[in-house]
Amino acid sequence: MNKISIHGEWSSKMAFILAATGSAVGLGNIWKFPYMAGQYGGGAFVIAYLLCIIILCLPVMMAEVMLGKRGRCSPINTMRNLVRETSQSKLWVLLGWSGALAGFLILSYYSVIAGWAMAYVPTLATGTFTEINNIPASEINDFVDSIFNSLIENPIELISWHTVFIIITMIMVAGGVKGGLEKAVNFMMPALFIVLLVLVGYAMSTPNFSEGFYFMFNFNFNDLLYLNCTETSCELSGEGLLAAMGQAFFSLSLGMGSIMVYGAYLPKDASVSKVTTAVVLADTLVAILAGLIIFPIVFSNGLEPGAGVGLVFKTLPIAFGQMPFGTLFGTLFFILLVLAALSSSISLVEPAVAWLIETGKFNRISASVTSGLLVWLAGLITVFSFNIWSEIKPLAGLNLFELLDYLTSNIMLPLGGLLIAIFVGWLMKKTVVAEELNSSIDSFIYYIWYFLLRYITPLGVGIVFLNAIGIFS
Ligand code: PHE
């Protein structure tokens, strides 16, 4: 299996790192990580998240890139090729299918949330939030709330932004691997990073920086395990741990084929361990920086860290409303957030698009249009779950958006990661794996990685799952 993918190849190792970082860094880091950390007790969530990244996700990421590099196709056909090569059961191809499905479901809501960020660009550019300086401090909270709520309660506006986002995503995907994507990421990642640093500088100047810092790095495991607390007692729950693991997989784009399909476009001689470590470091850094920006603003303005999905959309505008050049930085920030979301969204749909092309019945353009239409339609579920369907809660008190997010992040992605670990760790030939990694079998790094992948990752993911359904309580 030495062939090049029919879809093309990255022009260099660096291009892969940028594209994979583009996939990893997105709404997951800036929108989701802070609000989840806020909901699940701060420090405890952060440490669980970091542990999951190092122990579970880093090994899976190497394995997933390696699978793609070996199979050279969409995840569905990559698994088909590898099943043939290893003479394993055809059922393993389901891993590719579930990945394509997960990507599709995630993109359906990802696009709606990215639409919020798009909607905030004109809101900030017109200086709406500078109004904060003219109202009493006690009313700031209500002011930012009302702007956010009037957006999500308006289905027409949400649908419009969602439509724009899907169209841009599909144009980029239709452009192919090298075309627009590589170039966009090249400029975007450094720019996003710089704006984040400026914001950290602002957060450090707020009176409550240390409180925000403490909230994120104060490790209190009780917060994590004893979530269902009443005034008198706490019930053991692994829900927080499951959420941290789900977030780790989500943030690194793992377990669903995005990273696998990007691996399929990786030049043959690239060192998988080096490129993946770079991606993991960049992704983690951005998430931590986002937290360090958000929480000091939360505490300095008497907001609730557990405010949920609107957290970032309520805190950051306060900062932009008050800081010098805030209108400029604020507008720039939300533009960059949209770009970061775009570089993730293309990787969410690429597994399905690549597969459609491989069936021979589609070219890149018709494959992109078809997937785009389907995702757009599915996105309406999320749009309505914030307004006219907000009371529809089919399961466990979760509305439709929350259910989609829970199903994909907390179940499908870690399960995909678990299966990848088993397939690579136990079913593929060690020599083949080593060859694809460009590493000698007895090198130290390879040895540790293989050990983690075979034993620790499956065990870890398994324990978190069992813990969450209450087996250990
Ligand atoms: N990692 C992306 C983010 O953090 C989301 C994503 C998940 C992208 C799964 C691809 C696959 O926003």
Side-chain angles (χ1 to χ4, degrees):
M1 277 194 215
N2 260 337
K3 54 188 172 40
I4 292 183
S5 155
I6 59 162
H7 308 289
E9 206 177 55
W10 304 113
S11 46
S12 65
K13 235 173 19 197
M14 197 54 200
F16 169 84
I17 295 182
L18 283 171
T21 307
S23 165
V25 174
L27 297 174
N29 310 59
I30 295 166
W31 160 71
K32 201 169 173 198
F33 175 76
Y35 90 72
M36 299 221 30
Q39 279 179 333
Y40 288 108
F45 180 89
V46 175
I47 187 90
Y49 171 80
L50 293 176
L51 285 175
C52 288
I53 294 273
I54 298 167
I55 301 174
L56 309 179
C57 293
L58 190 57
V60 170
M61 192 166 202
M62 275 175 69
E64 193 173 333
V65 173
M66 192 280 290
L67 283 177
K69 197 164 165 249
R70 184 79 186 168
R72 296 272 153 194
C73 290
S74 68
I76 295 171
N77 285 325
T78 282
M79 287 314 294
R80 214 166 256 149
N81 288 343
L82 295 173
V83 157
R84 216 172 296 132
E85 190 188 38
T86 51
S87 323
Q88 294 300 328
S89 153
K90 286 216 173 69
L91 282 177
W92 281 100
V93 179
L94 284 178
L95 180 59
W97 283 105
S98 95
L101 178 67
F104 179 85
L105 295 176
I106 294 176
L107 184 55
S108 80
Y109 68 81
Y110 202 85
S111 163
V112 177
I113 312 290
W116 298 355
M118 288 180 127
Y120 265 53
V121 173
T123 311
L124 272 127
T126 50
T128 311
F129 290 102
T130 49
E131 185 57 30
I132 284 173
N133 302 306
N134 308 326
I135 56 180
S138 59
E139 285 170 25
I140 290 184
N141 228 327
D142 290 342
F143 177 72
V144 286
D145 257 358
S146 71
I147 292 183
F148 178 70
N149 290 339
S150 66
L151 169 67
I152 65 168
E153 281 160 11
N154 182 343
I156 301 296
E157 193 173 351
L158 293 188
I159 292 177
S160 314
W161 291 115
H162 164 58
T163 310
V164 176
F165 188 82
I166 290 287
I167 291 177
I168 303 179
T169 300
M170 292 310 158
I171 291 177
M172 290 178 80
V173 176
V177 178
K178 276 186 196 152
L181 178 55
E182 271 191 36
K183 288 189 203 101
V185 183
N186 252 333
F187 133 85
M188 208 177 74
M189 286 301 145
L192 183 70
F193 198 68
I194 292 170
V195 181
L196 283 177
L197 286 181
V198 169
L199 283 172
V200 174
Y202 168 82
M204 286 177 81
S205 75
T206 59
N208 295 56
F209 182 72
S210 55
E211 203 182 329
F213 188 89
Y214 183 76
F215 179 75
M216 270 188 76
F217 294 109
N218 148 40
F219 305 139
N220 179 357
F221 274 98
N222 286 351
D223 289 349
L224 191 71
L225 296 175
Y226 296 94
L227 283 170
N228 305 331
C229 288
T230 61
E231 263 168 49
T232 48
S233 72
C234 278
E235 198 183 309
L236 189 68
S237 148
E239 212 30 62
L241 207 54
L242 178 67
M245 177 172 80
Q247 172 60 14
F249 277 92
F250 182 89
S251 189
L252 287 175
S253 310
L254 289 184
M256 54 130 304
S258 284
I259 288 299
M260 201 188 293
V261 81
Y262 276 18
Y265 310 151
L266 190 64
K268 217 51 198 162
D269 58 348
S271 151
V272 174
S273 58
K274 283 199 193 111
V275 295
T276 48
T277 310
V279 175
V280 170
L281 282 177
D283 187 70
T284 309
L285 191 64
V286 173
I288 298 288
L289 284 180
L292 282 180
I293 295 165
I294 309 288
F295 291 113
I297 302 174
V298 166
F299 293 113
S300 302
N301 292 282
L303 298 165
E304 259 305 310
V309 292
L311 185 68
V312 168
F313 293 89
K314 294 174 187 171
T315 49
L316 290 182
I318 298 182
F320 293 127
Q322 291 174 338
M323 66 197 265
F325 305 108
T327 300
L328 178 71
F329 276 123
T331 313
L332 193 63
F333 174 83
F334 280 101
I335 292 176
L336 288 169
L337 185 56
V338 173
L339 292 177
L342 275 171
S343 67
S344 301
S345 64
I346 45 182
S347 73
L348 279 161
V349 73
E350 179 67 20
V353 168
W355 176 74
L356 285 176
I357 298 171
E358 286 160 13
T359 61
K361 300 192 180 76
F362 292 81
N363 59 27
R364 199 163 251 285
I365 295 183
S366 57
S368 306
V369 172
T370 311
S371 335
L373 278 175
L374 291 172
V375 175
W376 180 84
L377 215 61
L380 298 183
I381 297 177
T382 297
V383 166
F384 296 139
S385 74
F386 292 110
N387 35 71
I388 52 180
W389 290 351
S390 62
E391 287 315 310
I392 301 183
K393 297 183 174 167
L395 212 72
L398 302 176
N399 70 27
L400 292 167
F401 153 71
E402 290 162 343
L403 210 58
L404 270 178
D405 180 27
Y406 189 94
L407 176 74
T408 48
S409 311
N410 291 6
I411 299 174
M412 293 178 88
L413 301 190
L415 197 62
L418 173 75
L419 293 174
I420 288 172
I422 294 175
F423 190 82
V424 176
W426 294 91
L427 304 179
M428 282 180 79
K429 269 215 204 81
K430 213 171 166 180
T431 45
V432 171
V433 171
E435 178 196 324
E436 284 307 327
L437 291 175
N438 290 341
S439 152
S440 111
I441 294 207
D442 24 55
S443 81
F444 184 61
I445 303 236
Y446 180 82
Y447 182 81
I448 306 240
W449 168 75
Y450 205 56
F451 177 79
L452 286 173
L453 193 73
R454 276 172 80 100
Y455 301 102
I456 307 300
T457 306
L459 213 69
V461 176
I463 289 176
V464 177
F465 273 148
L466 293 177
N467 189 32
I469 56 174
I471 296 281
F472 303 123
S473 53

